[in-house]
Amino acid sequence: MGRCLTLNQQLPHQTFRADIGRRLQAGAPLLIAAFFLLLILPPVFRILFAGMPTGGTGAVIRLLQRPAVYKSIAFSLTQAGISAAISVLLALPGAYFISHIQFRGRKIIQSLTLLPFVLPSLIVILAVISLYGRNGLLGGLLGSKSSLVYSPLGIILAHVMFNLAVALRILSTGWQAVDDTLCNVSRSLGERFSQRLLNLDLPLLLPSLLSAFSIVFLYCLVSFGVVLVFGGIRYSTMEVRIYQEMFQHLNLQNAAWLAILQILVAGSVIFLLQFFTRHTARRNGTGIQLTPWKQLRTMQQAAIAGYWLFIAVIVLLPLAALIFRAFRAGGWNVDAFTAVFGLVQNRRLQDIMRASFPEILASSLGIATITALFCTIAAYLAAALLRGKRTPGIDTLLVLPLAISGVTISLGMRLLWHSIIPTSLLVAGTQAIMAFPMVFKLMRTAFNDFPIAYSEAAQSTGASRFFRLHSLHIPML
């Protein structure tokens, strides 16, 4: 009897907690949206209002009528579209091989293709120059001093090198989620590979294709360092034009209008992506069964090896050229490396950089670690709260940093918080905001593919939230 009374006394409390949980779950999208807007809007508005964009549509028309601005807008869209299209097309065969074929070195290849994406843009720029520049390795082998890099071709080359891994990862993940039962039915009906690709695989892969194209497009649209070095004044994008208006012409009005225009263009791309993927359902099932390498014909093995060799030339050869030049500083030596710890043209690195190499390395790793923690935890919480919900508006909002000029948000964060937040935390927070869209999309996809029955089974056995986190969610996600 006492036990029954105790149970009855606990029921109202448990009901109250369950009711609070349901309300929080129902209001989660609005809470996430409000919190994210509080992070992203103040620095952007700080820049926009600092420029005090006035004059209405007349000012915008006059700005757009300037030939240099019009060319920047047109070139931004053109180079981003071409770069994204080439990246997706080049990644499509590789995504098929990774998701369908079991071969030695599969994980290593995925890691190596990701290398340029995680490197600082300056290193990738130097790598491209080392291979394709006037004094580059390719020119030396061909006996030519011509350069391919200081042109739109150089910009596209660097962008493809940067973003190929992004497209490869998104497409391979999408292909792995296709139900293998459908493929078996297609084979049993006697459809050839080309028919199965056009009639089954590509329609089911459409959300991943659109996602990969849009993300690479947005990265290229707001690219700064690559365009600034390889394009200069002649081939400047909206991002570079915003920087020029802010810091060279000291015209915050024009910079603010250009920032607004870029946000509208990139935001439209994100909205269209959400609209199309909302009407295209992904078919999940048993997943693709990998074909062992030994079961392939010799011609198929040669084609796969030739493809990865071609990708290595695009992605890894520029980095190899950079390493080669580092050891060829006036002959085969390690002077370029020892100079980091000693003298650079009779000057100490610490005098030039205002910090020693160990201090630079420690600050880089520290800021990167803080950024990764901020970004991953925030993306996990957002994806967990939105699990099972179709919220195209919220999803569009959470990838909005891709649509915002990096120059705009960085300067806005500095103007707002520089005197309040320590510099290292400010840098880490700004980078976390700008990296959030990619991490959130990966986490959102992982949560959508996560079997909800596992979580329900753990809850039914009385497993605590912390236990489910470290024993179930983290290992599987």
Side-chain angles (χ1 to χ4, degrees), residues 21-336:
R22 284 193 297 269
R23 290 186 180 183
L24 286 175
Q25 192 72 17
L30 293 178
L31 290 175
I32 293 171
F35 180 74
F36 196 72
L37 288 175
L38 286 175
L39 286 178
I40 201 73
L41 290 184
V44 175
F45 284 150
R46 179 67 177 84
I47 293 298
L48 299 184
F49 289 135
M52 292 298 293
T54 57
T57 57
V60 179
I61 292 173
R62 286 192 298 273
L63 180 65
L64 295 180
Q65 286 176 341
R66 289 170 52 184
V69 173
Y70 174 76
K71 289 180 180 178
S72 295
I73 296 172
F75 181 68
S76 297
L77 299 174
T78 302
Q79 63 84 20
I82 294 174
S83 299
I86 293 175
S87 299
V88 171
L89 288 175
L90 282 179
L92 197 57
Y96 179 85
F97 298 148
I98 289 175
S99 59
H100 288 73
I101 298 170
Q102 179 66 50
F103 56 91
R104 188 174 298 175
R106 185 163 157 264
K107 296 295 184 182
I108 295 175
I109 287 175
Q110 286 182 287
S111 300
L112 289 177
T113 55
L114 192 63
L115 187 58
F117 184 74
V118 300
L119 287 174
S121 58
L122 183 59
I123 292 181
V124 176
I125 290 168
L126 291 174
V128 172
I129 293 174
S130 298
L131 182 62
Y132 300 107
R134 291 187 180 90
N135 297 314
L137 183 61
L138 185 62
L141 294 174
L142 299 177
S144 172
K145 290 292 183 181
S146 60
S147 175
L148 299 175
V149 295
Y150 300 105
S151 65
L153 181 59
I155 295 172
I156 293 172
L157 274 172
H159 282 165
V160 171
M161 183 180 170
F162 251 125
N163 297 298
L164 181 64
V166 177
L168 187 65
R169 181 150 298 201
I170 294 174
L171 294 178
S172 61
T173 302
W175 231 324
Q176 287 167 351
V178 174
D179 190 349
D180 198 42
T181 305
L182 301 175
C183 301
N184 293 332
V185 172
S186 175
R187 294 189 190 96
S188 67
L189 294 175
E191 285 191 330
R192 295 190 300 271
F193 171 78
S194 58
Q195 293 176 313
R196 191 164 63 249
L197 181 67
L198 293 175
N199 299 329
L200 178 65
D201 288 344
L202 290 182
L204 292 176
L205 197 63
L206 184 59
S208 298
L209 285 168
L210 292 172
S211 180
F213 180 88
S214 63
I215 288 177
V216 175
F217 178 89
L218 290 170
Y219 274 134
C220 297
L221 185 70
V222 299
S223 175
F224 178 70
V226 170
V227 180
L228 187 65
V229 173
F230 292 150
I233 299 176
R234 185 178 180 185
Y235 301 109
S236 61
T237 58
M238 283 191 285
E239 183 81 351
V240 175
R241 185 66 60 182
I242 291 170
Y243 172 81
Q244 290 172 339
E245 293 290 344
M246 276 187 180
F247 298 105
Q248 294 180 4
H249 304 155
L250 302 178
N251 191 332
L252 287 180
Q253 285 189 8
N254 285 346
W257 280 120
L258 286 172
I260 292 173
L261 183 62
Q262 180 169 278
I263 291 172
L264 291 175
V265 171
S268 300
V269 173
I270 295 174
F271 177 78
L272 289 174
L273 166 70
Q274 299 295 338
F275 177 80
F276 283 117
T277 54
R278 182 182 62 183
H279 290 86
T280 310
R282 175 184 289 172
R283 298 287 297 274
N284 291 309
T286 59
I288 296 295
Q289 299 298 315
L290 297 178
T291 301
W293 176 262
K294 293 181 180 179
Q295 294 183 10
L296 301 177
R297 295 192 297 270
T298 304
M299 289 297 295
Q300 292 175 321
Q301 293 177 349
I304 295 172
Y307 169 81
W308 290 119
L309 181 62
F310 177 70
I311 295 300
V313 169
I314 294 176
V315 175
L316 300 180
L317 192 58
L319 296 175
L322 179 63
I323 296 172
F324 175 82
R325 289 189 65 178
F327 285 103
R328 287 285 294 171
W332 288 102
N333 55 63
V334 292
D335 293 347

